[in-house]
């Protein structure tokens, strides 16, 4: 059985989906590739939801919370799973590029990595916002470049929103 809940964040309403003990989705409202939540049962008191909401409260308070207490179970191909595992290795407050992830995985296509990053079903916790273009440019984010900027500003990756004004 899959369950859902919501969280009001500085980015807007977040939609969360979980199995009994693991988070399977976290999307900003109207995000691309959002799962269909209409048939999921609402259950705000699920332990995983309580832990994710605590994590999000800390994160949006500019803390660097640990993911150790939150089991993640994103569904995807083997390749996507490998890309998402790389995203989890990007430290808070830093970034990498699509090309660097491709290099680490031994693949020749930064575009394939970009597609996998864009289909990340657990945004923010699996930090796809920490991936930039080859020259450090702000590119692609399923919930919009403005939200990517906000997350990078929050983490201190960038100091001023106008650094990426030529998007």
């Amino acid at each position: 059985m899959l369950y859902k809940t919501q969280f009001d964040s500085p980015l807007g309403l977040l939609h969360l989906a979980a199995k009994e003990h693991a988070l399977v989705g976290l999307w900003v409202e109207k995000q691309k590739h959002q799962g269909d939540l209409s048939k999921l049962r609402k259950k705000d008191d699920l332990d995983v939801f309580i832990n994710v909401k605590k994590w999000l409260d800390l994160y949006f308070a500019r803390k660097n919370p640990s993911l150790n207490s939150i089991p993640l179970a994103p569904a995807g191909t083997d390749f996507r799973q490998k890309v998402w595992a790389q995203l989890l290795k990007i430290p808070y407050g830093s970034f990498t590029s699509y090309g660097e992830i491709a290099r680490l995985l031994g693949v020749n296509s930064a575009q394939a990595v970009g597609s996998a990053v864009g289909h990340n079903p657990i945004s923010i916790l699996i930090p796809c916002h920490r991936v930039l273009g080859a020259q450090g440019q702000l590119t692609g984010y399923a919930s919009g470049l403005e939200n990517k900027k906000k997350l990078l500003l929050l983490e201190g990756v960038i100091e001023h929103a106008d650094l990426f004004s030529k998007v």
Side-chain angles (χ1 to χ4, degrees):
M1 165 93 32
L2 291 175
Y3 302 96
K4 66 181 175 182
T5 193
Q6 297 175 332
F7 180 85
D8 194 22
S9 84
L11 302 181
L13 195 59
L14 302 180
H15 298 277
L16 290 71
K19 295 179 186 178
E20 194 68 38
H21 301 289
L23 190 69
V24 298
L26 188 155
W27 303 275
V28 177
E29 182 138 50
K30 299 180 183 173
Q31 178 176 324
K32 292 180 192 174
H33 315 297
Q34 181 172 317
D36 179 13
L37 303 173
S38 65
K39 294 185 173 67
L40 303 187
R41 183 175 167 214
K42 186 167 173 48
K43 187 166 183 173
D44 296 325
D45 63 348
L46 203 61
D47 284 345
V48 69
F49 289 151
I50 292 167
N51 289 334
V52 170
K53 289 176 181 183
K54 286 179 188 174
W55 189 97
L56 289 166
D57 282 334
L58 289 170
Y59 178 81
F60 286 115
R62 297 183 179 262
K63 308 288 189 226
N64 181 11
S66 170
L67 279 173
N68 292 339
S69 66
I70 302 174
L72 304 176
T77 65
D78 286 345
F79 178 72
R80 287 181 179 177
Q81 295 287 342
K82 289 176 184 173
V83 170
W84 301 334
Q86 287 299 314
L87 297 179
L88 286 166
K89 295 177 183 179
I90 307 168
Y92 178 95
S94 56
F95 64 91
T96 192
S97 69
Y98 300 98
E100 179 62 14
I101 293 173
R103 186 190 69 73
L104 289 169
L105 294 176
V107 298
N108 294 325
S109 175
Q111 279 187 315
V113 169
S115 176
V117 169
H119 284 84
N120 170 19
I122 303 177
S123 64
I124 305 170
L125 277 77
I126 299 178
C128 50
H129 60 278
R130 297 180 188 153
V131 184
L132 302 177
Q135 307 303 316
Q137 72 272 30
L138 193 65
T139 60
Y141 193 58
S143 68
L145 291 179
E146 284 303 314
N147 283 333
K148 188 171 189 170
K149 280 186 205 177
K150 288 177 185 178
L151 294 171
L152 293 172
L153 281 164
L154 177 92
E155 291 186 20
V157 173
I158 56 175
E159 293 183 17
H160 304 287
D162 59 354
L163 289 177
F164 290 120
S165 62
K166 297 179 184 173
V167 175

